[in-house]
Amino acid sequence: MAAITACIFDLDGVIVDTAVYHYKAWKQLANQLGFDFTEEANEKLKGISRKESLELILNWGGVSKTDAEREDLAHRKNNWYVEMISEMTPREILPGAEEFLKSLKIDGYKVALGSASKNAGIILAKVGLTDYFDSIVDGNIVTASKPDPKVFLKGAEMLGTAPAECVVFEDAIAGIEAAKAGGMKVIGIGSAATLSGADLVIAGLHEMSIEILKKL
Ligand code: G6P
Ligand code: MG
């Protein structure tokens, strides 16, 4: 079994708590269209691109829209979302995330971001974490939604690391599936009941350490 030499992080819900902003913005849009969706349904949106998330939501509401209308709705949701994230500060880094990134640097692990978000670069800059990443793969570079493994495979390629030597940190079911499809180890962030496909599930990066990484 290959030893882990690189870590690839999802952003929303792993490093920063933007998952809640995505939820609020989508919920606001659905409510304007005259329907609602549950937190359970929201789990299905995590890790999924803006365009595909909108398709799912419109399906749940039984609403059909033209391409131009869809474009306008996705734009509306993103404007609300960008308004929310533009207020972000380093205080919104999730517990333990910066400490773990720091320890990876000290121990010489390679680090990449693997996010479906087109806003990933803005968020990392807002919270001051950009410099911890050797490579950044976001929704502007890879447009295929998780569970497609491309976002993580591109990360491994940019780091110059074999997939078997990478571990992915993910809070989304689709992200866990993407990492597995890419031949990588995966640590779920959240509840073990929801993220049962992961090699290990922890509540947050505050529970993570280099020792755990070595035992994977
Ligand atoms: C992440 C989030 C999704 C979001 C996607 C696209 O994967 O988990 O909820 O839809 O990024 O984000 P964006 O910022 O480009 O709309
Ligand atoms: Mg996420």
Side-chain angles (χ1 to χ4, degrees):
M1 220 174 55
I4 297 299
T5 60
C7 293
I8 305 182
F9 292 88
D10 172 50
L11 178 66
D12 298 311
V14 171
I15 289 179
V16 284
D17 198 11
T18 42
V20 62
Y21 297 144
H22 279 295
Y23 178 51
K24 278 189 189 161
W26 283 129
K27 198 175 163 67
Q28 192 165 330
L29 189 76
N31 290 169
Q32 278 196 351
L33 294 169
F35 61 93
D36 205 2
F37 64 91
T38 61
E39 285 218 36
E40 200 190 328
N42 185 61
E43 283 301 319
K44 300 202 176 82
L45 301 179
K46 291 186 178 172
I48 307 296
S49 74
R50 197 180 309 161
K51 199 163 169 243
E52 286 184 36
S53 297
L54 178 65
E55 312 252 302
L56 283 172
I57 290 168
L58 293 177
N59 268 338
W60 295 337
V63 175
S64 76
K65 296 282 176 195
T66 63
D67 283 353
E69 287 167 334
R70 278 165 203 253
E71 192 118 332
D72 173 63
L73 291 171
H75 193 66
R76 205 185 297 175
K77 181 265 174 181
N78 192 54
N79 282 346
W80 291 325
Y81 180 70
V82 169
E83 215 170 278
M84 291 185 227
I85 60 170
S86 66
E87 304 290 323
M88 284 183 86
T89 70
R91 278 198 304 264
E92 281 172 89
I93 299 172
L94 284 167
E98 185 159 15
E99 292 75 2
F100 185 54
L101 287 167
K102 223 173 254 175
S103 64
L104 289 172
K105 278 268 130 159
I106 292 168
D107 281 41
Y109 285 88
K110 290 187 233 171
V111 175
L113 189 83
S115 168
S117 174
K118 294 187 171 168
N119 295 301
I122 308 175
I123 296 168
L124 283 183
K126 280 271 163 201
V127 301
L129 292 180
T130 313
D131 290 349
Y132 287 103
F133 294 88
D134 302 305
S135 305
I136 293 178
V137 183
D138 64 15
N140 301 296
I141 296 178
V142 170
T143 51
S145 242
K146 299 168 188 176
D148 188 301
K150 282 191 195 78
V151 63
F152 296 137
L153 290 174
K154 184 76 191 164
E157 183 196 315
M158 283 170 76
L159 293 176
T161 309
E165 290 182 24
C166 296
V167 61
V168 167
F169 293 85
E170 256 295 346
D171 70 320
I173 301 163
I176 306 260
E177 289 169 6
K180 283 281 147 199
M184 299 175 182
K185 285 259 161 51
V186 57
I187 298 184
I189 306 287
S191 92
T194 311
L195 306 175
S196 55
D199 294 296
L200 171 75
V201 179
I202 55 175
L205 290 174
H206 57 286
E207 291 184 0
M208 198 53 209
S209 66
I210 302 290
E211 285 64 45
I212 298 177
L213 214 54
K214 286 185 175 152
K215 282 192 213 134
L216 273 179

